[in-house]
Structures are given as structure tokens and as C-alpha cells.
Amino acid sequence: MTSWNTPADLKYAKSDEWVRIEGDTATIGLSDYAQDALNDIVFVELPAVGDTITAGEQFAAVESVKAASEILALVSGTVTEVNSALESAPETINSDPYGAGWIAKVKVSDASFADTLMDAAAYAEYCQTR
């Protein structure tokens, strides 16, 4: 049985994104489970700073040697920062999904969607069922 890293300070979606909310800033990325399932990530399509994103809708994408995947917003708000290092090193998501592999930071206008997300224990259990 595989065990994926699921930091306890994050919230997780069934679509395999994670969010860390600190004050009115949310950092969003892909989970360890997602990067493992995708295998070698070769391209990341980032949003633009200033983009308005809506919780539950696509705001970015990744491509791997296996598949392309949408990345869904877990909060609504305005993109304040993107991880432009991923443009030249998309594989960073594979090696450090919760650290250097973050995708975007968002000034949160509505965090209510985050209340529907799983905590680390529930997400780890969910991953084991797939």
C-alpha cells in the first residue's frame, strides 16, 4: 500500500489540488498523490498575475508524459503571484509538490469553497481507495 505525503496544515480536493490559507492569501498546488499518478511533469500552464479565478473552475494546467490535467481553483480571488520557476523546471512539482512546486498564490475574495475540502487524514484515506 503506497503512502503519499499529506501535510496536516493543508486542505485537499478530490481533484488532487491542495490549498494553504494564511490570512487572505491562499497558495495552491498539486498533491503528492497527483504528481505520483501523473509521473514526469513536463509542462505547466500558469495563470497570469491579476487573473480572477473562481473556486471549482480551471485556472491552470499541467502536462506529463502520461496525460494533461486541469488544475482547479480551491478559492475565489485574484492571482497575486505565480511560480514562474515551473516554466523552466516543471518537474519541481514531482520533487517538491508542497514546497518549491507550488503553482499560484491568490488574494482570497471567497474562501467558502475551502470549507468543503478534506483534511489531510480524509484525503490520505481517499487516495488509498483509488
Side-chain angles (χ1 to χ4, degrees):
M1 186 180 273
T2 304
S3 180
W4 295 276
N5 184 14
T6 53
D9 64 327
L10 306 177
K11 293 286 193 174
Y12 301 87
K14 285 188 174 183
S15 51
D16 300 313
E17 296 86 6
W18 58 263
V19 63
R20 176 184 293 118
I21 300 175
E22 299 168 300
D24 67 351
T25 300
T27 304
I28 301 172
L30 274 182
S31 72
D32 191 33
Y33 175 89
Q35 71 77 23
D36 184 56
L38 284 166
N39 207 330
D40 296 329
I41 295 174
V42 296
F43 177 76
V44 179
E45 180 185 324
L46 297 167
V49 170
D51 281 0
T52 299
I53 64 172
T54 302
E57 295 185 7
Q58 179 181 350
F59 80 102
V62 293
E63 292 179 19
S64 72
V65 294
K66 286 184 171 182
S69 294
E70 297 179 343
I71 299 172
L72 304 181
L74 303 184
V75 296
S76 296
T78 304
V79 176
T80 57
E81 193 177 344
V82 297
N83 189 352
S84 55
L86 296 177
E87 292 172 338
S88 60
E91 68 278 2
T92 304
I93 293 173
N94 293 115
S95 60
D96 192 7
Y98 302 113
W102 62 275
I103 292 167
K105 296 190 180 193
V106 178
K107 182 174 174 48
V108 179
S109 63
D110 181 359
S112 61
F113 188 80
D115 294 337
T116 69
L117 302 175
M118 293 176 276
D119 64 17
Y123 180 69
E125 188 174 308
Y126 172 70
C127 290
Q128 293 296 346
T129 66
R130 302 197 277 171

